[in-house]
């Protein structure tokens, strides 16, 4: 057997260009322990990596009961038999604890093919990206705080001395006493090649070829959310203030720049987080209302919009509304027939999830339904915008492979159930940074994407030209 030390990679690889056959574990056979629940459970080890390449603690990774200092093991199966030359174990937190790898070639018995030397020395590093996955969803309401560095994520590449054909399952053993601190495991992959399996972000060449996003500086404003009117002529920004967050509007000057800053008193009636995320041709959806638990009120209000005047139409109401979080996100389709919310309930996949509800005859909305496992992870999803085609949805998440903590993604509705969505696509490194990027709003009229980003512990407003045909095109 060939003993191979831990190899740690710089986690900024976009694509794995190697011509190799790769499979990810898709079935649990046996395991030593499971914390249970939707977050940090053993099922989180299935499928391709979703914590890498950024690494760090995540509810999308397996945390064994004895992860601090004990012995743990698991056996996983793969969709089809294949020749294996490499087994890659993605340890997203304090890597270096794999001690043994065995494979089943279809005989029903495991053969040890790799083990660690007794006196090995772990190669470790401290990542420079501030990608703390414990950044909590509702912090977007306030000034974004600096996140601590991720310590020692890594990939254990067990390279077999001789390839084994017909492999259907793998057994991996861990000794978590080898290193101090908490441990988590993201995924297990097999390959017929010695070329290291590289973690990747699911993005496209189109998004990677965009120009780098720029910062939009507005006078005396630290932004926390933004939106644009349907005609593209009015820009709304919520500013972080010491007393309360207030909404300001801007219009374009002769040079095409946003100017003419104006406080909107009719929209700043609440003591909390006043913000506008959804604007239709004749309506506006505003957040910041104090939510009364046990009622159908959601914390959002509808306004009629008429030539710059705003008439309050009352609370946005949802049947049996419930949310474990103190805050929520909401967006309406252009015809107001469908409501989308980012909330956390008993039906969430983990943290905050994306839900939808249909409008009833009385103008209120029915029961919120989860949009499904493809678009919702064990972490947090929310901050969404549904485009006018009623199929293209932008949102933010810290639950998929990304460049930082929260990234901006796009997904496409595949049928009329509103529960079938395409795999989320990351908008790429020209949009997303190594920190927080979220609350996207796409100006369809002018074809510009705006969003909030964290920069030097401060919220900044960024924008990037993005052709609508590129954004709405499903690849």
């Amino acid at each position: 057997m060939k003993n191979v030390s831990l190899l740690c990679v710089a986690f900024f690889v976009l694509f794995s260009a190697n011509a190799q056959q790769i499979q990810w574990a898709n079935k649990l056979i046996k395991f030593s322990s499971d914390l249970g629940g939707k977050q940090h459970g053993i099922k989180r080890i299935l499928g391709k990596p979703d914590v890498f390449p950024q690494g760090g603690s995540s509810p999308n990774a397996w945390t064994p009961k004895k992860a601090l200092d004990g012995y743990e093991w698991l056996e996983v199966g793969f969709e089809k038999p294949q020749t294996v030359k490499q087994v890659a174990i993605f340890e997203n937190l304090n890597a270096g604890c794999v001690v043994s790898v065995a494979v089943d070639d279809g005989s029903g018995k495991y053969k040890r093919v790799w083990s660690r030397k007794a006196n090995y020395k772990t190669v470790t590093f401290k990542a420079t990206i501030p990608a703390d996955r414990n950044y909590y969803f509702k912090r977007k309401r306030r000034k974004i705080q600096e996140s601590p560095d991720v310590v020692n994520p890594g990939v254990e590449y067990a390279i077999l001395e001789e390839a084994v054909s017909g492999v259907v399952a793998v057994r991996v053993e861990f000794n978590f006493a080898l290193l101090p601190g908490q441990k988590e495991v993201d995924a297990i992959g097999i390959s017929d090649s010695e070329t290291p399996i590289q973690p990747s972000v699911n993005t496209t060449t189109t998004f990677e070829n965009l120009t780098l996003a720029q910062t939009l500086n507005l006078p005396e404003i630290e932004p926390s959310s933004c939106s644009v009117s349907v005609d593209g002529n009015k820009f709304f920004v919520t500013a972080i203030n010491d007393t309360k967050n207030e909404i300001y509007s801007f219009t374009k000057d002769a040079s095409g720049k946003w100017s003419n800053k104006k406080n909107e008193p009719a929209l700043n009636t609440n003591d909390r987080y006043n913000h506008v995320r959804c604007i239709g041709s004749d309506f506006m959806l505003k957040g910041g209302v104090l939510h009364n638990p046990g009622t159908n009120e959601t914390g959002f209000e509808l306004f009629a919009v008429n030539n710059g005047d705003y008439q309050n139409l009352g609370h946005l109401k949802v049947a049996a509304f419930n949310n474990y979080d103190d805050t929520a996100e909401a967006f309406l389709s252009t015809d107001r027939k469908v409501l989308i919310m980012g909330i956390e309930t008993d039906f969430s996949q983990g943290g905050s999830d994306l839900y939808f509800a249909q409008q009833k005859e009385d103008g209120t909305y029915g029961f919120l339904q989860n949009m499904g496992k493809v678009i919702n992870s064990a972490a947090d999803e929310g901050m969404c915008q549904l485009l006018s085609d009623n199929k293209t949805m932008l949102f933010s998440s810290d639950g998929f492979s990304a460049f930082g903590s929260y990234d901006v993604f796009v997904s496409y509705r595949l049928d009329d159930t509103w529960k079938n969505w395409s795999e989320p696509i990351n908008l790429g490194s020209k949009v997303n940074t190594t920190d927080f990027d979220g609350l996207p709003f796409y100006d369809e009229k002018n074809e510009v994407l705006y969003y909030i980003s964290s920069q030097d512990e401060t919220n900044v407003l960024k924008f990037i030209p993005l052709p609508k045909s590129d954004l709405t095109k499903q690849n």
Side-chain angles (χ1 to χ4, degrees):
M1 288 179 291
K2 185 177 181 181
N3 294 303
V4 180
S5 296
L6 178 72
L7 301 177
C8 289
V9 298
F11 301 121
F12 293 101
V13 181
L14 289 177
F15 304 100
S16 178
N18 306 308
Q20 56 180 324
Q21 181 182 2
I22 298 173
Q23 285 194 79
W24 303 103
N26 74 334
K27 179 175 62 176
L28 289 169
I29 300 175
K30 293 181 181 179
F31 49 89
S32 55
S33 74
D34 181 18
L35 292 177
K38 298 175 181 179
Q39 297 184 323
H40 299 288
I42 185 66
K43 289 184 179 180
R44 295 301 161 193
I45 203 150
L46 299 180
K48 64 182 181 180
D50 42 24
V51 185
F52 281 78
Q54 68 274 45
S57 180
S58 170
N60 276 321
W62 174 47
T63 303
K65 289 183 178 179
K66 299 177 182 177
L68 290 177
D69 57 3
Y71 172 84
E72 298 276 359
W73 57 270
L74 56 81
E75 297 172 6
V76 292
F78 298 85
E79 185 177 0
K80 56 185 179 181
Q82 80 164 66
T83 297
V84 171
K85 181 65 175 175
Q86 168 191 176
V87 179
I89 302 96
F90 289 74
E91 301 173 274
N92 52 290
L93 194 64
N94 291 313
C97 296
V98 179
V99 294
S100 175
V101 176
V103 298
D104 176 3
D105 61 2
S107 65
K109 297 181 180 179
Y110 286 98
K111 174 186 176 183
R112 181 175 293 181
V113 292
W114 183 93
S115 63
R116 187 182 297 285
K117 292 180 180 179
N119 61 344
Y120 94 103
K121 177 65 176 178
T122 300
V123 179
T124 62
F125 78 103
K126 189 173 183 180
T128 58
I129 56 173
D132 179 16
R133 304 282 292 194
N134 290 322
Y135 172 93
Y136 196 56
F137 184 64
K138 64 185 179 182
R139 286 189 183 175
K140 69 181 186 298
R141 307 279 184 199
R142 302 186 290 276
K143 183 175 180 178
I144 297 171
Q145 303 298 316
E146 182 180 15
S147 300
D149 286 347
V150 176
V151 179
N152 192 29
V155 185
E156 186 77 75
Y157 293 111
I159 308 299
L160 282 56
E161 191 171 64
E162 295 183 1
V164 180
S165 61
V167 172
V168 296
V170 168
R171 176 185 172 94
V172 181
E173 299 178 12
F174 302 85
N175 180 4
F176 291 117
L178 291 176
L179 288 171
Q182 186 60 274
K183 322 294 191 312
E184 295 179 6
V185 185
D186 185 15
I188 296 175
I190 56 176
S191 168
D192 59 353
S193 168
E194 290 189 11
T195 304
I197 301 174
Q198 298 288 4
S200 62
V201 174
N202 183 32
T203 187
T204 67
T205 303
T206 299
F207 293 146
E208 282 301 304
N209 286 338
L210 295 172
T211 59
L212 187 65
Q214 302 177 59
T215 298
L216 177 61
N217 294 310
L218 298 173
E220 299 178 344
I221 282 188
E222 183 178 351
S224 62
S225 71
C226 64
S227 56
V228 183
S229 60
V230 174
D231 60 12
N233 294 327
K234 203 166 189 178
F235 193 39
F236 294 89
V237 178
T238 293
I240 299 174
N241 295 326
D242 293 335
T243 53
K244 69 175 182 179
N245 293 345
E246 294 184 306
I247 299 168
Y248 292 84
S249 67
F250 297 82
T251 56
K252 289 186 176 180
D253 59 21
S255 64
K257 295 182 179 180
W258 293 114
S259 60
N260 305 315
K261 176 183 174 183
K262 176 186 175 183
N263 186 288
E264 296 286 355
L267 302 176
N268 294 319
T269 56
N270 303 304
D271 294 331
R272 302 177 58 186
Y273 179 73
N274 298 288
H275 69 288
V276 174
R277 288 285 296 151
C278 179
I279 306 174
S281 58
D282 59 356
F283 74 90
M284 175 184 290
L285 184 62
K286 186 185 102 50
V289 185
L290 182 64
H291 167 59
N292 296 313
T295 70
N296 291 345
E297 298 174 359
T298 59
F300 292 85
E301 295 173 309
L302 272 172
F303 283 76
V305 180
N306 184 16
N307 293 324
D309 293 328
Y310 310 105
Q311 178 187 357
N312 194 327
L313 302 178
H315 288 272
L316 181 77
K317 296 183 178 181
V318 172
F321 179 74
N322 181 43
N323 180 23
Y324 294 155
D325 202 348
D326 293 333
T327 63
E329 287 292 331
F331 204 90
L332 287 171
S333 60
T334 53
D335 58 5
R336 291 169 50 182
K337 297 296 184 182
V338 177
L339 167 68
I340 299 175
M341 296 197 76
I343 58 173
E344 182 180 353
T345 75
D346 285 334
F347 301 100
S348 293
Q349 304 299 326
S352 297
D353 276 9
L354 291 166
Y355 290 75
F356 77 97
Q358 305 280 356
Q359 189 181 45
K360 300 193 295 185
E361 291 184 358
D362 63 0
T364 64
Y365 292 85
F367 296 106
L368 286 162
Q369 303 178 61
N370 193 285
M371 286 186 168
K373 294 181 179 180
V374 173
I375 201 169
N376 289 313
S377 72
D380 292 315
E381 283 74 42
M383 302 175 262
C384 69
Q385 179 195 9
L386 181 69
L387 269 57
S388 60
D389 62 3
N390 277 354
K391 293 183 178 180
T392 305
M393 183 166 64
L394 292 164
F395 68 100
S396 302
S397 172
D398 68 343
F400 302 99
S401 291
F403 295 94
S405 56
Y406 279 85
D407 273 15
V408 179
F409 295 83
V410 63
S411 182
Y412 306 95
R413 183 166 59 88
L414 302 178
D415 59 29
D416 292 334
T417 66
W418 291 85
K419 295 181 179 181
N420 189 12
W421 293 83
S422 67
E423 180 182 359
I425 299 173
N426 190 294
L427 288 195
S429 59
K430 303 299 176 60
V431 171
N432 294 305
T433 67
T434 58
D435 212 316
F436 173 91
D437 299 282
L439 296 122
F441 196 96
Y442 185 67
D443 176 0
E444 295 189 55
K445 182 71 173 180
N446 298 302
E447 301 190 4
V448 177
L449 173 68
Y450 298 91
Y451 61 103
I452 304 299
S453 182
S454 176
Q455 182 174 302
D456 298 327
E457 301 183 56
T458 301
N459 292 11
V460 296
L461 180 59
K462 287 190 174 181
F463 71 98
I464 183 170
L466 176 53
K468 188 175 180 179
S469 58
D470 290 341
L471 182 59
T472 58
K473 179 182 178 182
Q474 183 177 341
N475 297 284

